[in-house]
Amino acid sequence: MEALAHRRRLFGTNGIRGVVNEELTPELCARIGLAIGTYFNGGDVLIGRDGRLSGPMVESAVISGLLSAGCTVHTIGMAPTPAVQFAVKHFGMDGGVVITASHNPPEYNGIKVLRPDGVELSREQELEVEEIFFEEKFRPAGWSSIGSIKELKGAVEAYVEAIKGHVDVEAIRKARFKIVLDPANGVGVIPALRLLRDLGCRVILINGEIDGRFPGRHPEPKPENLTALSKLVAMARADLGVAFDGDADRSIFVDELGRIHWGDKSFAIVAKWFLTREPGGAIVTPVSSSSLVKEVVEAHGGKLIWTKVGSVVVSHKMMEIGSRLGGEENGGIFYGPHQPVRDGPMSTALVLHILAEEGRPLSALMDELPRYYIMKASVKCPHELKQLVLEELVARFKHMNPLTIDGVRIWYPDGSSVLMRPSGTEPIFRLYAEARDERRIKDVLAEHVAIVEEVVRNVSKRGGGE
């Protein structure tokens, strides 16, 4: 069995991912497709893919498995993840599949499974698919009941029109924004270019040709990958720049001065605006989000709901409590009135709406936010010791009433905070520290790195609790 299957888990934080033809082979993809088709008991399943070179191969293999289970497969071709998610619900499908590895390097690909509402399967539902796969509880159709393939047209157009229905189109058109768009040679260019032009924006496009090699930049929109975008925004005297990841479910913004802003800030701006429309609203975010989000939400009368890290968790928590806004520090914004999933083009339209409404530049809105300095580090910790280390950290900081939803997060009276969290994939503990003072942040991080290292040593000396 292939390397992915050896782990006895198929799904990671966001779907199934692996290196193509090493971990993610055609044979494995076909079996996964059959498991997915069995889970959906045949039925109508929509499928779309990003622009990776391996996309047609992986998609074809998954489709063969779906057909074997008797599914009617509706194909929409290349489209960003949020457009596929919207189409699943909009066209009344029984489920959906996205072939994407999001921000991962070009040698990777992946498979996301969607429910009828377009949201990814819950962790419990993923386990059901895995049980079908590993225990071979497949239900292949008889020879006369094998499924068929149908091409579905108009999915991207319907998605763009839906986004426009949530913003003031005329106000944005009157503003005549000049935007630099960087979709990272990914499929986000397909709806985003149409959307921005419909909104009357003057668009400068970089890395706009779909190319699964991602020649323009790495598909992860981290600040270090957005230097060209930053420079071009300033040189062109644009109103803002926006960068997507490989499947366009996340967006990072650059203000008119060329400053790159991490996702916490854009999310805080949207949250501030949202709470003027829905006073007292509940807003969902992972424990890894900055305290600036907490400060902004609470200052404007909202209620912040923390979750474990992972976009799937945020989506399901939003639906569970009826929240209409969620966000992540990596640029994911979940606008519930549209769909409770992260969505780069929708986020872009919201920011344009806010700028048109405010009549002020993005830099001014960013500079009004509370200022925090953030630093990250990691400490080596064997997988088998993670739980014991976590338990000792919880006990050590119990007097500080820590947040223990996912790792341990503590706040100090001066506003600084630290999250100590075991990685879900690597043998390390990740540390995220923040403080209002640039000098304080280094001390905070160093102090807690030393604490985690000490706890790992102590647990290791005890033989992992034996």
Side-chain angles (χ1 to χ4, degrees):
M1 184 63 70
E2 291 83 351
L4 277 177
H6 274 306
R7 302 188 313 219
R8 292 298 294 182
R9 279 304 313 266
L10 287 173
F11 290 89
T13 305
N14 281 107
I16 301 165
R17 291 185 192 172
V19 177
V20 174
N21 273 350
E22 292 181 19
E23 298 171 306
L24 209 63
T25 64
E27 296 85 356
L28 179 64
C29 292
R31 287 170 61 82
I32 291 172
L34 178 55
I36 295 168
T38 299
Y39 174 79
F40 285 122
N41 196 28
D44 291 274
V45 178
L46 184 145
I47 190 166
R49 58 182 169 86
D50 69 15
R52 291 168 186 269
L53 299 183
S54 59
M57 181 197 83
V58 175
E59 181 183 49
S60 297
V62 172
I63 287 175
S64 71
L66 292 170
L67 296 176
S68 176
C71 295
T72 300
V73 179
H74 301 262
T75 62
I76 63 172
M78 286 196 293
T81 294
V84 180
Q85 292 176 296
F86 177 82
V88 168
K89 183 176 180 180
H90 181 74
F91 292 101
M93 299 291 161
D94 296 308
V97 176
V98 191
I99 307 303
T100 180
S102 186
H103 62 275
N104 288 121
E107 64 270 23
Y108 283 80
N109 215 327
I111 301 165
K112 290 186 178 184
V113 187
L114 311 177
R115 308 186 317 180
D117 57 9
V119 176
E120 288 179 63
L121 300 185
S122 67
R123 298 301 185 213
E124 293 74 22
Q125 291 166 327
E126 288 174 351
L127 290 173
E128 291 181 44
V129 175
E130 290 179 345
E131 182 181 350
I132 294 168
F133 179 90
F134 288 114
E135 298 186 17
E136 298 188 347
K137 295 181 177 179
F138 305 118
R139 290 196 299 273
W143 68 269
S144 61
S145 301
I146 288 173
S148 60
I149 302 175
K150 296 182 179 180
E151 183 182 0
L152 191 152
K153 295 183 178 181
V156 171
E157 291 79 4
Y159 167 69
V160 169
E161 289 304 310
I163 291 175
K164 287 159 57 180
H166 294 288
V167 296
D168 189 335
V169 173
E170 288 307 313
I172 298 172
R173 284 175 177 165
K174 285 179 182 177
R176 293 283 294 154
F177 292 116
K178 182 191 284 188
I179 296 178
V180 183
L181 173 65
D182 178 1
N185 301 111
V187 288
V189 70
I190 298 172
L193 204 54
R194 175 175 180 148
L195 172 66
L196 293 174
R197 287 174 176 166
D198 282 359
L199 293 174
C201 298
R202 296 166 289 166
V203 182
I204 300 171
L205 184 64
I206 61 170
N207 303 322
E209 182 179 352
I210 297 175
D211 188 331
R213 300 175 185 84
F214 302 111
R217 67 164 171 86
H218 192 284
E220 172 73 1
K222 290 182 178 180
E224 57 265 33
N225 297 330
L226 304 180
T227 304
L229 173 63
S230 169
K231 290 180 178 178
L232 185 52
V233 169
M235 287 175 55
R237 296 184 178 179
D239 295 291
L240 75 158
V242 59
F244 295 146
D245 62 339
D247 65 336
D249 61 357
R250 296 189 285 128
S251 52
I252 294 294
F253 294 93
V254 178
D255 68 24
E256 79 282 1
L257 303 177
R259 299 181 304 178
I260 303 165
H261 297 280
W262 198 229
D264 285 319
K265 290 188 172 183
S266 47
F267 175 41
I269 286 174
V270 173
K272 185 176 176 180
W273 164 83
F274 176 81
L275 289 169
T276 64
R277 297 163 63 95
E278 299 196 14
I283 295 177
V284 179
T285 199
V287 295
S288 54
S289 288
S290 169
S291 291
L292 83 86
V293 174
K294 178 177 183 287
E295 192 170 329
V296 167
V297 169
E298 292 177 352
H300 291 83
K303 182 180 180 183
L304 193 64
I305 307 297
W306 299 102
T307 71
K308 290 185 176 182
V309 173
S311 66
V312 179
V313 184
V314 174
S315 291
H316 284 272
K317 176 58 72 171
M318 287 176 65
M319 292 184 294
E320 176 191 329
I321 67 173
S323 168
R324 286 158 59 86
L325 184 66
E328 299 174 306
E329 46 90 27
N330 59 12
I333 295 177
F334 307 62
Y335 187 57
H338 174 55
Q339 53 179 352
V341 300
R342 55 190 188 184
D343 188 327
M346 181 72 249
S347 304
T348 303
L350 283 176
V351 169
L352 291 174
H353 174 97
I354 294 167
L355 290 176
E357 196 174 82
E358 288 280 339
R360 294 186 292 154
L362 184 58
S363 63
L365 302 186
M366 291 292 184
D367 289 343
E368 286 179 347
L369 297 172
R371 187 166 189 176
Y372 284 87
Y373 296 91
I374 298 173
M375 291 185 70
K376 301 179 181 181
S378 61
V379 172
K380 291 182 180 179
C381 178
H383 290 295
E384 63 273 15
L385 299 184
K386 285 179 180 176
Q387 185 57 37
L388 293 169
V389 170
L390 181 59
E391 289 171 3
E392 188 160 322
L393 287 170
V394 169
R396 180 173 292 214
F397 291 103
K398 187 176 181 181
H399 66 288
M400 296 182 67
N401 192 28
L403 188 66
T404 57
I405 294 170
D406 191 356
V408 182
R409 185 165 187 179
I410 52 174
W411 277 269
Y412 288 94
D414 65 357
S416 57
S417 72
V418 182
L419 171 65
M420 296 159 280
R421 174 178 170 269
S423 167
T425 55
E426 300 176 62
I428 58 174
F429 255 74
R430 300 187 190 278
L431 286 88
Y432 305 79
E434 61 181 356
R436 291 193 176 100
D437 185 277
E438 194 169 8
R439 290 169 295 183
R440 166 78 169 137
I441 184 65
K442 295 178 183 178
D443 294 338
V444 170
L445 184 63
E447 177 186 342
H448 290 83
V449 164
I451 290 172
V452 175
E453 288 175 339
E454 177 193 342
V455 171
V456 171
R457 284 195 302 270
N458 292 343
V459 171
S460 182
K461 284 178 182 177
R462 295 200 298 267
E466 294 176 2

